[in-house]
Amino acid sequence: MLPVIALVGRPNVGKSTLFNRLTRSRDALVADQPGLTRDRKYGTGKLGKHPYVVVDTGGISGDQLGIDQLMEQQVHQAIGEADHILFLLDGREGCTGGDEIIAQQLRKTGKPVSVAVNKSEGLDETLAASDFYRLGLGDPIAIAAVHGRGVRTLIDGILSQFPPAEEADTDEEKGIQIAVVGRPNVGKSTLVNRLLGEERVVAYDQPGTTRDSIYIPITRNDKRYTLIDTAGVRRRARIKEAIEKFSIIKTLQSMQEANVVLLVLDAQQEIGEQDATLAGHVLESGRALILVINKWDGLSQDQREWIKAEIERKLPFLSFARHHYISALHGSGVGDLFGLVDQVYKSAMRDLATPELTRILEALVEEHQPPLVHGRRIKLRYAHQGGKNPPLIVIHGNQTERVPDGYKRYLISRFRSILKLRGTPVRIEFRSGDNPFQGKQNKLTKRQIQKRQRLKKFVSRKR
């Protein structure tokens, strides 16, 4: 097992900056704003031959109300999972009452604690660290997480307490990656917690609770999955904070990394423009898609028929997607989602044989011929698979660059129907064969030139 190191401290002391430094990534959002991190975020790192797991947590503010209470619960869960606690402090502010309260809580855990004094660049390291001896947690180590100064020494000291561990195959551990996306406050985090069976991410009745994309591995029926809880995406006109812009970028990146996307809609609200825009982003990503209609419980039959009609009318370009109706709060219908995920993932990753695709293409062309272009018929000769997730079908022929969009949509729809590719978009790419005589002029023989001249004389006499 890899050693687990939890980063703990007050808000805005640099925990996320240190997390990115230790994982050599930019996975955690970083800004000069307290309370940015709210959920536990896991990452892996390696120093020499020693791999480890590091956990980024929200800042402990001491406020026991609202969302701050839920954030503190996440911190305590991270402490409970950790093998070693890294207590991060702000060297420029000195030791505060909040730091002393956290130190008291950490002593009660009985777990090993290292004290790191961050933001010590430009300061006398000995003087900056001396103020924190009063916490009674050992010798403080001065670091500068943003520049990496002192970080290696700090982690070397922590990892020396553990035996060398074998690095796991992270790609294999990820399994099927499932991104949960949607507008703010539609129940994404509640759904993730329900799928996990624990309060893994902060779910609160306030739009914008989730600010970062949280990757959570899970094993179900001996199959590996990775759930990705993402920030809600609002209309561009309503985005005022720079942090929210970065959160949306993280959400779009998560869709690209995922194998399957769960687009969560609120059954108690009409399908808005932002739902359609977000659905368009999912379609562009090419990922397998399940429309998850949440808050389905308590609706009358008329309301249910109305929301179904809304989806058909406002999201007609998602006709390939599977629909699933749930209540994330009460758990109804949630257990069946993994089965649907397996189905759409299988369709997205299916191997398609060239002879089968070519036979289907011939049948479709016979059923509905391509149109004439400048008096010449477009010829489609054969097809083969060009990629997966989404399935890509490459069609070869003549004048394929002139195939109308309407005929392309016809081919996509019929291929998807015949191959029974459910829950995944299908893409088609046309390729034309090169004409070996294009741009070349036929050189006439002497006899052909004489024949042409005689023909010209004959024509001129007739006139």
Side-chain angles (χ1 to χ4, degrees):
M1 295 290 289
L2 302 184
V4 179
I5 304 169
L7 307 182
V8 178
R10 291 186 295 107
N12 212 34
V13 295
K15 296 184 297 298
S16 294
T17 303
L18 182 58
F19 175 89
N20 288 343
R21 176 69 61 177
L22 294 176
T23 58
R24 296 183 181 180
S25 69
R26 299 179 66 182
D27 289 345
L29 282 177
V30 176
D32 188 15
Q33 176 180 326
L36 183 59
T37 303
R38 289 175 173 171
D39 302 291
R40 309 195 308 273
K41 190 172 186 69
Y42 293 76
T44 56
K46 188 177 182 182
L47 188 61
K49 296 182 179 180
H50 295 270
Y52 54 85
V53 175
V54 60
V55 189
D56 187 21
T57 66
I60 301 177
S61 63
D63 193 344
Q64 298 299 319
L65 298 175
I67 196 169
D68 290 316
Q69 181 182 5
L70 298 176
M71 289 167 58
E72 190 161 333
Q73 291 174 4
Q74 292 284 315
V75 177
H76 289 304
Q77 289 179 10
I79 291 172
E81 297 171 352
D83 300 308
H84 195 99
I85 301 168
L86 181 50
F87 185 17
L88 204 61
L89 302 146
D90 191 330
R92 296 186 180 276
E93 291 188 6
C95 189
T96 66
D99 294 326
E100 294 180 357
I101 293 172
I102 297 172
Q104 290 176 4
Q105 295 176 357
L106 295 181
R107 275 194 292 272
K108 293 176 183 178
T109 65
K111 295 193 174 184
V113 179
S114 294
V115 179
V117 182
N118 193 27
K119 304 182 183 180
S120 62
E121 60 271 22
L123 301 177
D124 183 284
E125 294 185 7
T126 305
L127 189 61
S130 62
D131 192 30
F132 297 95
Y133 276 96
R134 73 169 86 165
L135 298 177
L137 294 173
D139 296 333
I141 300 175
I143 68 168
V146 70
H147 303 299
R149 184 166 58 80
V151 174
R152 186 182 182 91
T153 304
L154 173 67
I155 300 302
D156 264 332
I158 294 174
L159 295 179
S160 64
Q161 305 171 30
F162 300 95
E166 294 184 2
E167 189 171 12
D169 186 353
T170 54
D171 290 334
E172 185 178 332
E173 284 188 349
K174 289 180 180 178
I176 301 175
Q177 299 197 71
I178 309 167
V180 184
V181 304
R183 285 188 293 138
N185 216 31
V186 295
K188 299 183 296 298
S189 296
T190 304
L191 174 59
V192 169
N193 286 337
R194 181 64 66 175
L195 289 170
L196 293 169
E198 63 168 307
E199 295 299 315
R200 171 61 182 80
V201 292
V202 174
Y204 190 63
D205 189 17
Q206 171 185 314
T209 300
T210 303
R211 289 176 168 173
D212 206 348
S213 295
I214 309 299
Y215 291 69
I216 311 162
I218 178 177
T219 301
R220 184 182 175 91
N221 297 329
D222 297 327
K223 290 184 178 179
R224 295 183 183 275
Y225 304 88
T226 298
L227 292 176
I228 311 174
D229 186 22
T230 64
V233 179
R234 296 195 297 172
R235 283 194 335 209
R236 185 179 299 177
R238 295 185 179 179
I239 300 172
K240 297 178 181 178
E241 296 183 4
I243 296 302
E244 190 171 356
K245 294 179 182 178
F246 286 114
S247 298
I248 293 172
I249 292 171
K250 287 275 190 177
T251 298
L252 299 179
Q253 289 174 341
S254 299
M255 284 194 291
Q256 292 291 341
E257 295 175 9
N259 303 117
V260 178
V261 174
L262 305 183
L263 177 55
V264 183
L265 305 174
D266 191 335
Q268 299 180 4
Q269 297 182 11
E270 64 177 354
I271 305 300
E273 180 184 345
Q274 188 54 34
D275 290 313
T277 302
L278 192 53
H281 288 307
V282 178
L283 186 63
E284 288 176 7
S285 73
R287 298 299 171 252
L289 175 63
I290 300 173
L291 285 179
V292 180
I293 298 87
N294 190 25
K295 306 180 184 179
W296 192 246
D297 54 319
L299 295 182
S300 66
Q301 188 60 35
D302 289 342
Q303 289 174 315
R304 292 181 176 185
E305 293 299 328
W306 174 80
I307 192 64
K308 288 180 180 179
E310 277 280 287
I311 294 172
E312 294 287 336
R313 184 169 63 90
K314 294 187 177 180
L315 303 176
F317 53 91
L318 297 183
S319 58
F320 65 89
R322 301 296 299 271
H323 294 193
H324 193 62
Y325 304 91
I326 67 163
S327 170
L329 186 62
H330 300 105
S332 59
V334 174
D336 300 327
L337 270 174
F338 283 105
L340 279 178
V341 166
D342 291 337
Q343 291 177 22
V344 299
Y345 177 74
K346 185 177 179 181
S347 292
M349 302 300 291
R350 181 173 158 187
D351 290 317
L352 306 173
T354 298
E356 181 185 14
L357 293 177
T358 301
R359 283 195 298 271
I360 294 173
L361 177 63
E362 290 172 351
L364 296 181
V365 170
E366 186 176 348
E367 177 185 304
H368 181 41
Q369 287 278 344
L372 291 170
V373 178
H374 301 305
R376 296 178 60 197
R377 178 76 64 184
I378 296 173
K379 295 179 181 179
L380 305 178
R381 303 190 184 281
Y382 69 95
H384 63 86
Q385 186 173 12
K388 302 177 184 178
N389 198 27
L392 172 63
I393 299 173
V394 181
I395 298 177
H396 294 259
N398 293 342
Q399 301 188 95
T400 56
E401 68 279 358
R402 295 176 176 174
V403 175
D405 291 338
Y407 195 79
K408 184 177 180 180
R409 288 193 294 271
Y410 157 74
L411 291 176
I412 290 174
S413 175
R414 297 292 288 131
F415 267 114
R416 185 189 299 120
S417 175
I418 294 170
L419 294 170
K420 297 181 180 179
L421 299 175
R422 297 174 180 172
T424 178
V426 175
R427 290 180 176 172
I428 286 183
E429 180 180 311
F430 294 103
R431 294 181 186 174
S432 294
D434 294 332
N435 184 355
F437 302 104
Q438 187 174 4
K440 295 183 179 180
Q441 188 174 3
N442 188 20
K443 189 174 182 181
L444 301 178
T445 64
K446 184 177 180 181
R447 185 176 179 180
Q448 288 173 328
I449 294 173
Q450 291 174 348
K451 186 176 180 180
R452 175 179 283 187
Q453 290 174 347
R454 288 198 301 270
L455 183 60
K456 285 182 179 179
K457 288 179 182 180
F458 177 76
V459 172
S460 62
R461 285 191 200 129
K462 288 290 185 181
R463 289 179 181 174

